[in-house]
């Protein structure tokens, strides 16, 4: 079984929205930019608003060794820069090896996990 998130505290709106298949990120109107969900802990005044659902791969790594919670290998762990948004670490799913490279355009997909959790992942734009 893959690890499950902890939806508590200032990041709870992020996880609650994903359960509804909404992709919300904290937006700092004062700074005029989206923030990473964990930055909601900073105490900045943010509003949770719909976030960009497309971006591009900044970096990636093929993971070939199983670890606790991730026994299905290989998989791709990537940093995705959202259009007009922050960078998120996620998996690239439903892709062939030749589709994954730095700069590849990707779009958001939702991965269902146990107990109703929804995890944001990305797949190449086709």
């Amino acid at each position: 079984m893959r690890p499950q998130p902890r939806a508590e505290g200032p990041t709870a709106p992020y996880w609650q929205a994903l359960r509804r298949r909404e992709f919300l990120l904290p937006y700092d109107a004062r700074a005029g930019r989206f923030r990473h969900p964990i930055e909601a802990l900073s105490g900045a005044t943010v509003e949770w608003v719909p976030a960009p659902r497309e971006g591009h791969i900044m970096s990636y790594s093929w993971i070939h060794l199983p670890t606790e919670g991730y026994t299905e290998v290989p998989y791709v762990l990537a940093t995705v820069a959202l259009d007009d948004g922050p960078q998120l670490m996620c998996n690239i799913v439903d892709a062939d090896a030749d589709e994954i490279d730095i700069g590849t355009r990707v779009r958001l997909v939702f991965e269902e996990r146990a107990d109703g959790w929804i995890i944001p992942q990305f797949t190449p734009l086709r």
Side-chain angles (χ1 to χ4, degrees):
M1 181 163 84
R2 291 187 171 191
Q4 304 304 316
R6 293 174 45 195
E8 55 192 34
T11 62
Y14 175 73
W15 297 109
Q16 291 165 354
L18 286 169
R19 282 187 172 221
R20 298 186 307 268
R21 294 185 182 278
E22 295 178 55
F23 187 55
L24 304 182
L25 289 176
Y27 186 79
D28 183 341
R30 192 169 168 191
R33 68 181 182 95
F34 283 98
R35 293 184 172 268
H36 189 278
I38 198 71
E39 289 184 87
L41 297 171
S42 71
T45 302
V46 297
E47 180 181 359
W48 291 87
V49 299
R53 291 175 170 238
E54 294 183 0
H56 67 277
I57 296 174
M58 294 285 297
S59 67
Y60 69 97
S61 181
W62 282 92
I63 309 300
H64 293 275
L65 297 174
T67 60
E68 185 177 338
Y70 291 93
T71 56
E72 297 174 25
V73 291
Y75 64 92
V76 178
L77 181 63
T79 300
V80 169
L82 297 175
D83 295 343
D84 300 320
Q87 296 177 14
L88 300 177
M89 188 167 281
C90 57
N91 294 126
I92 304 298
V93 297
D94 300 324
D96 294 326
D98 63 347
E99 294 180 281
I100 300 171
D101 203 353
I102 293 172
T104 298
R105 298 283 302 157
V106 292
R107 67 178 173 81
L108 175 75
V109 293
F110 296 108
E111 177 187 301
E112 294 184 34
R113 291 200 182 163
D115 298 327
W117 289 107
I118 304 293
I119 306 297
Q121 307 289 23
F122 287 83
T123 193
L125 283 171
R126 295 181 176 101

